[in-house]
């Protein structure tokens, strides 16, 4: 489902599919090692865009 939604996201070429190996979607909300990886990626994104 993720890959399908990503492919359908139009209107920009500035997009990236970021997958965290070894986790499920819901674990990225509460498992510290996965939350940390997601937050690091978001920090990079927001630092570039804001």
């Amino acid at each position: 489902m993720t890959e399908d939604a990503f492919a359908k996201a139009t209107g920009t070429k500035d997009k990236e599919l970021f997958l965290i190996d070894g986790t499920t979607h819901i674990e990225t909300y509460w498992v510290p090692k996965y939350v940390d990886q997601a937050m690091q990626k978001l920090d990079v994104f927001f630092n570039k865009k804001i």
Side-chain angles (χ1 to χ4, degrees):
M1 186 167 97
T2 300
E3 288 84 1
D4 186 47
F6 183 78
K8 291 177 180 176
T10 61
T12 185
K13 299 278 185 201
D14 186 19
K15 63 181 186 175
E16 177 185 352
L17 180 59
F18 179 65
L19 302 174
I20 300 174
D21 291 332
T23 189
T24 62
H25 175 84
I26 199 68
E27 289 176 322
T28 63
Y29 293 99
W30 64 272
V31 177
K33 69 180 183 178
Y34 302 135
V35 172
D36 290 344
Q37 288 179 61
M39 293 307 299
Q40 287 172 6
K41 190 65 173 178
L42 287 170
D43 283 343
V44 169
F45 172 80
F46 285 118
N47 284 332
K48 272 177 46 176
K49 302 296 180 182
I50 297 180

